Amino acid sequence: MDARIREHAEIIADHSTGIEAGDNVVIQLPKEAEELAVALHEICGDRGANPIYLNYSARAQRAYKRAADAFEEPGHRHALYAETDVFIIARGGENVTEDADVDPGTNAAYNRAMEEVKRERLSKTWCLTQFPTASHAQLAGMSTEAYENFVWDAVSLDWDAQRELQAEMVEILNEADEVRIRSGEGTDLRMRLSGNEALNDYGEANLPGGEVFTAPVRDSVEGEVHFDLPLYRYGREIDGVRLRFEEGRVVSHAAERNEELLTGILDTDEGSRYLGELGIGMNRQIDRFTYNMLFDEKMGDTVHMAVGSAYPETVGEGNELNESGEHVDMIVDMSEDSVIEVDGEVVQRDGTFVFEE
């Protein structure tokens, strides 16, 4: 086994989840990540934890979605998650476009049925990570070896140092009332944060980490945003997304590619037309775009926003929690002609934070 796989497993167990004796641990990985599963099972055995291994197949999931006439909440999965202490999932797989021919309406219906199950899972200690596979290397335009180095270098960052850097932005946002984001001619967006909490993502729930994120006050988002970096969703690329918000809600939208897929996402439910997250990327180790949101949203010269569900821990008492079967992150490149303002004060210009100058 590559020593970096074992190190990856140890970081998940020690830093990201803190697996302890007696923990019920669900490990959901694709077959390509079996060695990571082996290493995690060894750690669980050493510590007296109780692992269950779910072998996730995007191909099987596609077959189910295309064959089913309707979807119901899977109570047996909900019961499993209710008894789970730690949930670990890794992206990977041999075909990143497996869902490309699933109808957007089908995906929306499936996500609605899974909403309570998803909420149960997110209430537990969880970690989402990446296992480097040839398919993701190809998507990123990299050799398999180069992609392995990229992933494992990002995973094994000095997370204590990263936490300290990001703590400065957490403090700024936690004292903020209004944030304004301007970039080029297509993005000028305002939102209020009052009463909500900014969180420091330094490689716990997401591995790699490297962002500060919060939730906007649900009905406060006003203006237009052009997401000038593409995203992969359900096996297809959505590019050139433009959204216009009034009183927090998306009132118009467009995309240069796969606009019908974007429409399907926004039509999932009422909450999918509101922002559930504002995130600010701060990981300088991630220095290239790879069509993988787990990495791309952490890049230091970006902000991202997610339509759909908000993380409950970011929403303060008295503010409305946005709920949805979707949570779709989209990215704005802030490296040029861009400013983040907090209560009228510039905190980032062209990708550089004021505390970095």
Side-chain angles (χ1 to χ4, degrees):
M1 180 184 294
D2 190 319
R4 296 174 297 178
I5 297 176
R6 193 168 300 279
E7 181 185 10
H8 192 172
E10 290 170 351
I11 292 170
I12 293 171
D14 293 333
H15 174 74
S16 300
T17 63
I19 293 174
E20 298 178 345
D23 281 346
N24 293 327
V25 182
V26 172
I27 300 169
Q28 180 176 305
L29 310 180
K31 63 182 180 181
E32 290 79 7
E34 184 179 22
E35 286 193 314
L36 180 59
V38 170
L40 287 167
H41 278 70
E42 288 177 344
I43 291 171
C44 287
D46 287 342
R47 299 185 183 185
N50 311 307
I52 291 178
Y53 183 24
L54 304 181
N55 192 339
Y56 179 78
S57 167
R59 185 180 177 190
Q61 189 72 6
R62 168 192 173 273
Y64 170 64
K65 288 180 181 179
R66 285 172 58 90
D69 293 327
F71 304 101
E72 297 180 357
E73 179 186 336
H76 58 310
R77 184 181 293 190
H78 192 283
L80 172 64
Y81 292 173
E83 295 297 323
T84 298
D85 299 302
V86 176
F87 188 92
I88 298 166
I89 183 170
R91 293 177 176 171
E94 60 186 4
N95 184 358
V96 296
T97 62
E98 193 66 63
D99 268 355
D101 55 0
V102 177
D103 182 78
T106 299
N107 281 319
Y110 177 79
N111 286 332
R112 285 193 294 269
M114 291 293 295
E115 187 171 352
E116 289 299 323
V117 175
K118 175 184 174 184
R119 187 175 293 114
E120 181 66 36
R121 176 172 65 81
L122 291 175
S123 72
K124 305 305 174 76
T125 298
W126 58 274
C127 176
L128 169 65
T129 191
Q130 175 74 40
F131 190 81
T133 60
S135 62
H136 279 84
Q138 187 175 32
L139 186 64
M142 302 170 70
S143 69
T144 303
E145 181 182 6
Y147 188 67
E148 289 174 347
N149 292 335
F150 171 78
V151 169
W152 282 318
D153 284 349
V155 163
S156 59
L157 197 64
D158 182 340
W159 293 115
D160 289 336
Q162 190 68 28
R163 180 184 65 240
E164 291 179 10
L165 170 67
Q166 294 174 182
E168 300 201 47
M169 196 67 210
V170 170
E171 184 177 354
I172 289 171
L173 293 183
N174 278 337
E175 295 177 354
D177 176 31
E178 184 182 78
V179 172
R180 183 181 184 186
I181 297 168
R182 293 184 286 124
S183 182
E185 298 181 357
T187 296
D188 191 349
L189 201 68
R190 297 176 183 266
M191 64 190 74
R192 288 189 295 107
L193 305 181
S194 299
N196 287 347
E197 184 174 357
L199 298 182
N200 192 338
D201 170 16
Y202 51 94
E204 293 182 308
N206 283 337
L207 183 66
E211 64 169 298
V212 172
F213 66 100
T214 187
V217 175
R218 188 175 188 265
D219 62 357
S220 71
V221 184
E222 297 281 348
E224 297 181 343
V225 55
H226 174 211
F227 296 103
D228 47 3
L229 292 177
L231 69 146
Y232 250 77
R233 191 71 174 179
Y234 303 124
R236 286 187 281 172
E237 180 183 353
I238 307 176
D239 197 10
V241 173
R242 295 179 184 269
L243 303 178
R244 185 164 66 86
F245 291 85
E246 293 180 3
E247 297 182 347
R249 190 175 189 273
V250 176
V251 295
S252 66
H253 67 277
E256 296 170 9
R257 185 176 184 184
N258 284 322
E259 184 174 314
E260 76 285 354
L261 180 56
L262 174 64
T263 301
I265 290 168
L266 295 173
D267 287 346
T268 298
D269 47 42
E270 180 61 18
S272 59
R273 284 187 174 262
Y274 289 81
L275 282 188
E277 179 188 1
L278 167 67
I280 300 175
M282 299 185 66
N283 189 334
R284 300 297 185 191
Q285 182 67 41
I286 301 173
D287 58 1
R288 61 182 295 165
F289 181 76
T290 62
Y291 286 95
N292 185 335
M293 194 60 68
L294 183 60
F295 291 80
D296 298 337
E297 69 176 6
K298 314 297 194 315
M299 290 190 296
D301 295 345
T302 64
V303 299
H304 59 277
M305 304 169 209
V307 293
S309 60
Y311 295 107
E313 58 268 34
T314 64
V315 179
E317 186 176 353
N319 284 344
E320 184 176 0
L321 172 69
N322 193 50
E323 296 180 324
S324 173
E326 282 286 12
H327 181 95
V328 179
D329 294 290
M330 293 175 276
I331 301 173
V332 181
D333 181 355
M334 300 291 289
S335 61
E336 295 181 1
D337 193 21
S338 300
V339 170
I340 300 174
E341 297 177 1
V342 174
D343 296 332
E345 297 290 331
V346 173
V347 299
Q348 186 199 69
R349 186 182 298 278
D350 296 341
T352 301
F353 296 97
V354 291
F355 46 82
E356 290 182 309
E357 294 176 341

